[in-house]
Amino acid sequence: MTELVDDGLVRCPWSIGSQLYREYHDTEWGRPLHGDDALFERLCLEAFQSGLAWITILRKRPAFRAAFAGFEIAKVAEFGDDDRARLLADAGIVRNRAKIDAAITNARVARDLPIGLDELVWSFAPAPRPRPATIAEVPATTTESIALAKELKRRGFAFVGPTTAYALMQATGMVDDHLEVCWVQAAPHGTDSPVTFRTQVSARDSDREE
């Protein structure tokens, strides 16, 4: 592992374990993210992360995008048995049959939503709140994430629990859980200035470099 250079900036503790985490923290995490395909990728990556360190997902992100047709909902929704076999044989991704099936199922559900996935997910965004002072103040779930997970499950989505839903909220800027001392400035609430989706993936404070 390449040693990180101290640049004098104060960051959230989870971001100091690797360069990948630092770059993600500095440029992506907690910034508003919009778009149906964008939110679909986030849901998929959150599900694939379950039981693994987030650094694994960060490293495999390019392979995931290639394997899942850029996470375009319309394309993944058409995946069939041949695609399942291809994905299970792809060493570049997490080869878990249940998670692969969930991604395809979720694409079909997202495709058939009467409203966009973006609109659905963001409808559960809470009101702005002060940044946490310490990691101990960052919750694992909230009332809003529990409600979001319940609604997604009701509509047929798989592998989406309250903790995953809250991580989704953190990663996509629905909540701002950067610490008070963190150098990353808060994005103005209500602005429509999303980050570039093709570099999105999430992180949690409990992860460690492999």
Side-chain angles (χ1 to χ4, degrees):
M1 181 178 66
T2 303
E3 184 177 353
L4 293 176
V5 176
D6 184 1
D7 59 8
L9 298 176
V10 178
R11 295 178 171 85
C12 301
W14 61 261
S15 69
I16 64 176
S18 74
Q19 186 64 35
L20 281 175
Y21 274 156
R22 178 190 283 190
E23 291 174 358
Y24 167 68
H25 167 273
D26 288 1
T27 63
E28 302 178 39
W29 191 74
R31 298 181 184 275
L33 175 67
H34 289 284
D36 292 344
D37 291 342
L39 272 297
F40 173 64
E41 179 174 357
R42 167 59 47 234
L43 282 173
C44 289
L45 293 179
E46 294 289 354
F48 275 104
Q49 181 275 333
S50 180
L52 302 171
W54 268 108
I55 196 68
T56 301
I57 303 302
L58 281 166
R59 289 170 176 161
K60 292 178 178 288
R61 180 166 55 176
F64 269 114
R65 288 172 175 162
F68 281 91
F71 287 102
E72 293 184 36
I73 292 171
K75 292 182 179 179
V76 180
E78 297 299 323
F79 280 12
D81 291 340
D82 289 345
D83 293 293
R84 285 186 174 89
R86 170 180 59 80
L87 292 166
L88 285 168
D90 190 342
I93 67 170
V94 175
R95 293 179 290 180
N96 180 293
R97 184 180 297 273
K99 294 176 181 180
I100 289 170
D101 286 345
I104 298 171
T105 295
N106 290 349
R108 292 170 180 171
V109 174
R111 177 194 59 190
D112 297 335
L113 286 173
I115 62 175
L117 183 62
D118 184 323
E119 182 178 350
L120 173 61
V121 171
W122 273 88
S123 71
F124 288 86
R129 66 185 188 213
R131 283 183 165 186
T134 67
I135 285 292
E137 295 180 14
V138 178
T141 64
T142 61
T143 300
E144 292 85 4
S145 78
I146 293 170
L148 173 57
K150 182 177 181 180
E151 179 62 15
L152 290 173
K153 288 182 178 180
R154 185 186 74 79
R155 291 177 180 269
F157 287 91
F159 268 95
V160 184
T163 301
T164 296
Y166 191 66
L168 172 69
M169 290 177 163
Q170 292 175 305
T172 59
M174 294 173 66
V175 297
D176 181 3
D177 276 344
H178 284 282
L179 299 187
E180 289 178 352
V181 297
C182 180
W183 79 270
V184 176
Q185 294 188 6
H189 187 73
T191 61
D192 189 16
S193 54
V195 298
T196 301
F197 176 60
R198 288 302 160 208
T199 55
Q200 272 289 329
V201 79
S202 99
R204 293 191 177 94
D205 60 277
S206 60
D207 295 330
R208 298 290 185 271
E209 176 78 82
E210 292 182 326

